Amino acid sequence: MASELHQLRFDPPQSNASDESSAQDDRPLLNPDSDAVADDDSDDLHQKYAPFVRRDVYGTMGRGELPWMEKVLLAIALVTIVPIRVVIGMSLLFLYYMICRVCTLFHDPNRETDEQEDYAHMVGWRRSVIVCTGRFLSRAMLFVLGFYWISEVYRILPNEDKSTNENEGQEKSQESERPGAIISNHVSYLDILYHMSSSFPSFVAKRSVANIPLVGIISKCLGCVYVQRESKTSDSKGVSGVVSERIREAVKNSSAPMMMLFPEGTTTNGEFLLPFKTGAFLSRAPVLPLILRYPYQRFSLAWESITGGRHFLLLLCQFVNHMEVIRLPVYVPSPEEKNDPKLYANNVRRLMAKEGNMMLSDIGLAEKRVYLAALNGTPRQC
């Protein structure tokens, strides 16, 4: 696959100037305290931070003036499908919590560090029950939320070579191209439910998730790697080490859970790809790129400049929600990419943007915080 994707890859940078330029990717374009933000008019602001702009009928922060028909639809949904979805959704969550609780009774969690413990390394009937019921109930939860069908496309790249000797060395090929991680764009918290229903991988999550009622034990059964996002202590190196080790383990052992990583580090409106962090590519292992889309007419499912509670309520009020998934072939890194994780990350990002018809953006989480701060500091709405 490395040779098959050659045309989509970049050559390594040839000068220190390129390295210095790329090293500046994580720096914010604006200072959050800058007065320039407050002076920008609405159009300039949205153009500058285009990857985070909402364009649905509910307005930038989900508080825009609605047409009367939309208000009627919301009122009908609030007294009909919303209570039903809440009851069934909570029942599914509690049911899976009980399944995880029973399957982990009298079983000590795996401990990779003092901060990391999980039940993803269990074997036998316990692990089978957790995975099978987790995938089924995750899909059932999506159905309850209005995703009655999900469009999945398995993309075959034009340059892929169909060899006539497919059986020759098939075992070796499958082992060498087994992905250790799934690489996905990040649009909404709904992404997690889809990936759970599809492959039940391990995620990187905030450390506080482990203590959330009901959800905490589920995250440990998923094998989540916990991280303190705002912490600048030495534990970040430990987290990268755990993630890389998990990825290498998944490549060697088909029964080990793959890692599910969102290398952008935050959500977008689904039209852009932000710069990729290199943590997912440090292991030098093959990855499986995957693209998620949420087509909409009224309410965008992207979780951006709207509060979590308002977003979830409007999600419940949607009678039908849509999701499209594009699965790309396993991406096997070239020798140059193995020696340069940033090159590896950039090439996977470029491939995903091309196949998903998305635009590349050079801004990231720091700029997103500036944009949200500007929105919260002005009364203007779209």
Side-chain angles (χ1 to χ4, degrees):
M1 182 63 66
S3 61
E4 296 164 354
L5 300 177
H6 177 73
Q7 294 182 347
L8 294 169
R9 299 181 172 176
F10 296 123
D11 292 329
Q14 301 296 324
S15 66
N16 292 334
S18 298
D19 293 339
E20 292 172 0
S21 175
S22 62
Q24 298 176 356
D25 287 346
D26 293 334
R27 297 188 306 177
L29 302 179
L30 291 176
N31 187 324
D33 298 326
S34 173
D35 291 334
V37 175
D39 295 336
D40 283 341
D41 61 33
S42 181
D43 290 339
D44 289 343
L45 186 69
H46 297 329
Q47 183 177 3
K48 184 177 296 184
Y49 302 103
F52 313 120
V53 176
R54 299 180 60 84
R55 299 185 177 89
D56 59 12
V57 299
Y58 290 86
T60 303
M61 303 179 73
R63 301 173 183 172
E65 183 63 30
L66 300 178
W68 69 268
M69 180 56 70
E70 189 66 26
K71 295 178 180 179
V72 171
L73 292 175
L74 283 177
I76 295 174
L78 284 171
V79 297
T80 55
I81 61 171
V82 171
I84 296 174
R85 285 177 170 176
V86 170
V87 171
I88 298 178
M90 289 303 299
S91 299
L92 291 176
L93 176 61
F94 184 75
L95 173 60
Y96 191 51
Y97 163 79
M98 292 302 299
I99 291 173
C100 292
R101 181 60 70 186
V102 169
C103 289
T104 55
L105 282 176
F106 311 113
H107 193 286
D108 293 330
N110 173 66
R111 295 183 182 274
E112 291 167 298
T113 69
D114 292 339
E115 301 292 340
Q116 307 293 340
E117 62 176 29
D118 69 84
Y119 293 100
H121 292 77
M122 291 190 301
V123 294
W125 68 269
R126 296 171 184 261
R127 184 61 185 169
S128 297
V129 170
I130 286 175
V131 172
C132 292
T133 58
R135 294 182 64 176
F136 175 79
L137 293 176
S138 297
R139 184 61 187 92
M141 183 71 80
L142 286 172
F143 186 88
V144 170
L145 294 176
F147 296 93
Y148 306 121
W149 57 88
I150 297 175
S151 172
E152 293 187 313
V153 176
Y154 291 79
R155 187 67 54 84
I156 298 177
L157 300 182
N159 294 330
E160 284 196 328
D161 180 28
K162 297 293 183 181
S163 175
T164 56
N165 300 323
E166 291 182 356
N167 294 329
E168 184 179 351
Q170 184 176 8
E171 245 182 70
K172 183 177 179 182
S173 175
Q174 288 177 350
E175 183 177 353
S176 63
E177 294 197 7
R178 180 183 297 142
I182 301 171
I183 303 299
S184 174
N185 64 319
H186 200 9
V187 182
S188 172
Y189 49 81
L190 296 164
D191 303 348
I192 296 174
L193 271 180
Y194 170 77
H195 290 300
M196 286 179 63
S197 69
S198 175
S199 54
F200 205 79
S202 298
F203 296 85
V204 175
K206 292 181 181 179
R207 191 170 298 163
S208 58
V209 171
N211 300 318
I212 298 177
L214 303 183
V215 175
I217 185 67
I218 296 175
S219 71
K220 293 180 181 179
C221 288
L222 280 164
C224 286
V225 176
Y226 301 112
V227 58
Q228 190 69 31
R229 189 170 201 174
E230 302 300 331
S231 175
K232 299 298 182 181
T233 60
S234 60
D235 78 328
S236 60
K237 181 179 180 180
V239 169
S240 295
V242 171
V243 170
S244 295
E245 185 59 35
R246 292 277 194 90
I247 293 175
R248 287 190 287 266
E249 180 185 7
V251 172
K252 297 177 182 177
N253 181 7
S254 59
S255 62
M258 287 191 293
M259 286 298 304
M260 173 66 247
L261 298 166
F262 301 107
E264 294 171 285
T266 188
T267 57
T268 69
N269 57 19
E271 301 173 10
F272 294 80
L273 266 186
L274 307 181
F276 280 7
K277 309 296 183 183
T278 59
F281 307 93
L282 294 174
S283 65
R284 305 178 178 182
V287 297
L288 179 63
L290 190 147
I291 302 163
L292 297 180
R293 292 173 172 170
Y294 296 90
Y296 68 92
Q297 292 182 344
R298 299 161 49 213
F299 174 64
S300 171
L301 298 178
W303 188 24
E304 287 306 327
S305 56
I306 182 173
T307 61
R310 180 179 293 270
H311 185 280
F312 189 63
L313 179 61
L314 294 177
L315 164 67
L316 293 175
C317 289
Q318 289 268 91
F319 292 92
V320 180
N321 290 301
H322 302 278
M323 181 188 299
E324 296 177 354
V325 182
I326 300 176
R327 292 177 173 272
L328 302 181
V330 174
Y331 192 107
V332 181
S334 66
E336 292 80 9
E337 290 168 329
K338 289 182 179 180
N339 293 327
D340 187 348
K342 192 168 186 64
L343 174 68
Y344 187 7
N346 287 339
N347 287 342
V348 173
R349 175 178 176 242
R350 183 174 177 84
L351 173 65
M352 292 175 62
K354 178 178 182 294
E355 296 300 322
N357 195 27
M358 293 181 287
M359 293 174 282
L360 297 175
S361 173
D362 62 351
I363 64 177
L365 179 60
E367 290 78 21
K368 181 177 183 177
R369 287 171 173 164
V370 174
Y371 174 64
L372 297 182
L375 290 180
N376 290 325
T378 175
R380 290 176 295 181
Q381 300 289 325
C382 285

